[in-house]
Amino acid sequence: MTEQLRKTIIAGNWKMHKTRHKGRELAEQIVAAIKHHHKDLPEVVLCPPFTALHDVVQAAHNSPVSVGAQNMDSRTSGAFTGEISPTMLTDVGVDYVIIGHSERRQFFGETDNGVNLKLKSAIEHKLVPIVCVGESLEEREANLTDSLVARQVTAALAGVSEADTKTLVIAYEPIWAIGTGKTCESVEANRVCKMIRTTVSEFYHGEANKAKAEKGGVGDHVSVLYGGSVKASTIDELMAQSDVDGALVGGASLAAEDFVPLIESAQKRIKQQLSRV
Ligand code: PGA
C-alpha cells in the first residue's frame, strides 16, 4: 500500500466552544465554501460539543462533511450520570469520535486502559475513532517522546483486530504544541507519525517480520494526523510530508476563514498524490 491510498483527513476539534446556533452557522459556512470543489477533497470532520452535534449533523447533511464527537463512554447505557454512549452518538448521526485527547487525559483522568475500552467500543458501534497520542514538554526534553507515544499506541490497540486497526485514525498531538502557537517542526512531526505507523505494524507483525512491519504492514493503512497549533501558514509544509495524512485542528477550526484554507491545502496534497499514481 502506498501513502496515496490512505485517507487524508482535516478534522476540527471545537472543544468547549460554540452554541447550537453558532455551531450550525460555522458548519453551514464550511459546507458552502467546499460545495463547489467536491473533487479530490480530503475527509472533512467537524467535532462540535455534544449539544451542537444534532445541528451540525443537519448542516452537513448531503455534503462531503462528516461529524465527530469529542469523547464518549465505552458503555452503551446505564447509571453513569453525565456520560454519552456510542449508541447515542450513532443515533444522532455521528460518524467519528475523538478518543483520548490529551485534555481528557490531563484534566479528566483518562488512562491508556480507558482509551483502549473506548476504542474497542467505538469500533463495535461503527464509529471511526480518532485516537490521540502525544508527549508533554517534560517528556520530550527527557527524550521520552518515542517510547511514550509507542506505549500509548500499543495500549490503545490491545485486543483490536488487524482488520479493525486498518480503519482507524491516529492523531499525533504533542501536548506542548496544543493551543500554544508552537508548532512541531514538520520534519519532526513526520518522523513521529512514521514511528507511530511502524509501531502499529510491529504490534501486528512483530520484530521477526521486520520487512512487513516497515513497509506494507497494518500501519501503512492507518491515517496518521498531526495536531497542535496547525494553521494556514503551517499546513502546506505539513501536507508535503510523506507520513502526515492530515490534521486535527483546534483553534483554527473555529472560523471558516481559518479552517477552509486547511482543507484546500489537503486537497492539493491529494491532487499531487493522484498525479503520481
Ligand atoms: P490547537 O488544538 O490546534 O488549538 O493547538 C489541537 C487539538 O487540541 O486538537
Side-chain angles (χ1 to χ4, degrees):
M1 176 137 186
T2 46
E3 79 191 68
Q4 52 267 36
L5 299 178
R6 289 194 297 263
K7 246 198 251 171
T8 301
I9 299 170
I10 298 292
N13 173 12
W14 295 358
K15 308 194 180 183
M16 200 169 70
H17 296 287
K18 305 289 177 191
T19 57
R20 289 177 54 196
H21 175 72
K22 291 279 176 203
R24 180 186 281 266
E25 203 173 68
L26 174 56
E28 282 170 355
Q29 286 166 355
I30 293 165
V31 167
I34 63 176
K35 212 168 56 201
H36 301 298
H37 35 255
H38 263 206
K39 213 169 156 326
D40 306 329
L41 272 177
E43 182 86 0
V44 178
V45 187
L46 305 182
C47 305
F50 290 129
T51 46
L53 279 173
H54 180 62
D55 292 81
V56 173
V57 165
Q58 284 187 334
H61 186 64
N62 272 337
S63 85
V65 172
S66 301
V67 183
Q70 298 173 17
N71 180 35
M72 62 170 224
D73 195 272
S74 60
R75 296 158 290 206
T76 45
S77 64
F80 303 107
T81 302
E83 291 301 298
I84 299 285
S85 78
T87 44
M88 291 166 182
L89 297 181
T90 51
D91 178 52
V92 87
V94 162
D95 292 315
Y96 284 79
V97 60
I98 298 174
I99 292 177
H101 189 280
S102 62
E103 285 151 16
R104 304 248 14 124
R105 295 182 192 252
Q106 236 180 318
F107 306 128
F108 303 98
E110 270 197 20
T111 60
D112 282 347
N113 183 45
V115 168
N116 173 248
L117 291 176
K118 289 181 180 192
L119 171 57
K120 288 191 284 201
S121 174
I123 292 167
E124 196 182 316
H125 292 93
K126 311 264 178 286
L127 289 161
V128 181
I130 302 176
V131 182
C132 300
V133 295
E135 80 289 358
S136 67
L137 187 59
E138 298 74 51
E139 287 156 344
R140 171 158 285 264
E141 283 170 351
N143 242 338
L144 293 173
T145 299
D146 291 17
S147 57
L148 185 278
V149 169
R151 189 207 76 209
Q152 289 177 328
V153 169
T154 52
L157 295 180
V160 180
S161 76
E162 213 177 293
D164 285 335
T165 292
K166 284 180 179 173
T167 66
L168 67 87
V169 181
I170 299 179
Y172 168 55
E173 298 206 308
I175 297 169
W176 49 272
I178 296 179
T180 57
K182 284 187 204 154
T183 325
C184 180
E185 292 285 326
S186 49
V187 171
E188 173 60 7
N190 193 53
R191 187 193 69 75
V192 182
C193 288
K194 199 178 183 131
M195 188 278 294
I196 289 172
R197 212 180 287 300
T198 310
T199 302
V200 172
S201 291
E202 270 173 17
F203 183 76
Y204 290 100
H205 307 297
E207 269 286 313
N209 202 344
K210 200 125 179 85
K212 200 158 184 206
E214 268 158 23
K215 200 97 204 103
V218 182
D220 260 0
H221 296 257
V222 176
S223 289
V224 183
L225 317 182
Y226 166 78
S229 297
V230 174
K231 46 186 179 294
S233 58
T234 54
I235 188 74
D236 284 351
E237 222 189 288
L238 282 162
M239 289 297 87
Q241 305 299 318
S242 61
D243 282 82
V244 181
D245 300 317
L248 179 56
V249 187
S253 71
L254 296 175
E257 65 266 31
D258 295 328
F259 193 60
V260 171
L262 311 182
I263 300 171
E264 289 167 348
S265 176
Q267 191 178 30
K268 265 188 268 157
R269 171 188 173 88
I270 295 171
K271 284 187 197 296
Q272 273 160 10
Q273 286 175 338
L274 289 173
S275 72
R276 289 204 295 267
V277 175

